[in-house]
Amino acid sequence: MLYIKKDHEPEALIQAKREGLRHYDDMTTEVKDIVKDSLSAEQGGLCAYCMRRLRPDMQIEHYTPRSISDDATTIDYRNLLGVCPGNKGAAEKFQTCDAHRGNTPLTVDPLKLASVALVRYLPNGTIYSDDEDVNHDLQITLNLNCKQAYLPQGRMAALNGLKQTIHSDCAGKTASKAYIQHLYDTLSQGKNGLLDEYLGILLSYLVKRGAVPPHK
């Protein structure tokens, strides 16, 4: 999971509210598509939860579920996230992210750096937290260690790819702190508006190697 810095609310959504939009259920497909584009852009093209690449079938997620929200919260841009379909429609054990979560409230919050900082990774791609509530969110509510969805395997493959890059660039020598920091900064910025899939485990590994993450 990555920290998401919210961008400006799309003008199309602002205008829709001016014209009387009061609830998400009344939002037009055209406005939803614009919102999706905006969410994808500010998330570097990654699902807010599992960090897989967002595709045209991406969903708009409500961090505070609509079932417990007032009308205004359902169209509050800060409450909206872009997520993958999460194998919606498959057996529950195969579902992830919003599809598996349903209307369960979350403790972990991708809009708060301090919350995302509680997320940890093992070399085998397992995501977890030492915080009991956050760990429950990651492993149970969002099902982010679903092997059937290739999530831990995908994270491990991404991590092994990063390790190979470091080994190749440094010709087998110990990587300098400056190199590790440069790699961290480069990955954090992405390329052509896109971040690497499963970026969370990559940045976590680089922090363990000495990279200093932003604090704001």
Side-chain angles (χ1 to χ4, degrees), residues 120-157:
R120 302 282 187 269
Y121 301 89
L122 295 177
N124 67 359
T126 298
I127 189 171
Y128 74 101
S129 177
D130 294 325
D131 181 286
E132 183 177 352
D133 293 331
V134 172
N135 191 58
H136 187 276
D137 287 346
L138 301 174
Q139 301 211 39
I140 306 300
T141 304
L142 296 170
N143 198 23
L144 295 184
N145 285 321
C146 180
K147 292 183 179 179
Q148 293 89 343
Y150 198 74
L151 291 183
Q153 302 96 315
R155 292 188 204 103
M156 183 172 65

Side-chain angles (χ1 to χ4, degrees), residues 73-126:
T73 303
T74 70
I75 54 174
D76 180 357
Y77 186 66
R78 285 195 57 81
N79 191 46
L80 305 182
L81 300 169
V83 296
C84 68
N87 297 325
K88 185 177 181 179
E92 184 178 3
K93 66 179 181 180
F94 299 134
Q95 295 177 11
T96 68
C97 305
D98 177 46
H100 193 270
R101 172 198 178 188
N103 293 316
T104 304
L106 295 172
T107 298
V108 67
D109 187 347
L111 301 187
K112 296 180 180 179
L113 266 175
S115 183
V116 175
L118 297 174
V119 178
R120 302 282 187 269
Y121 301 89
L122 295 177
N124 67 359
T126 298

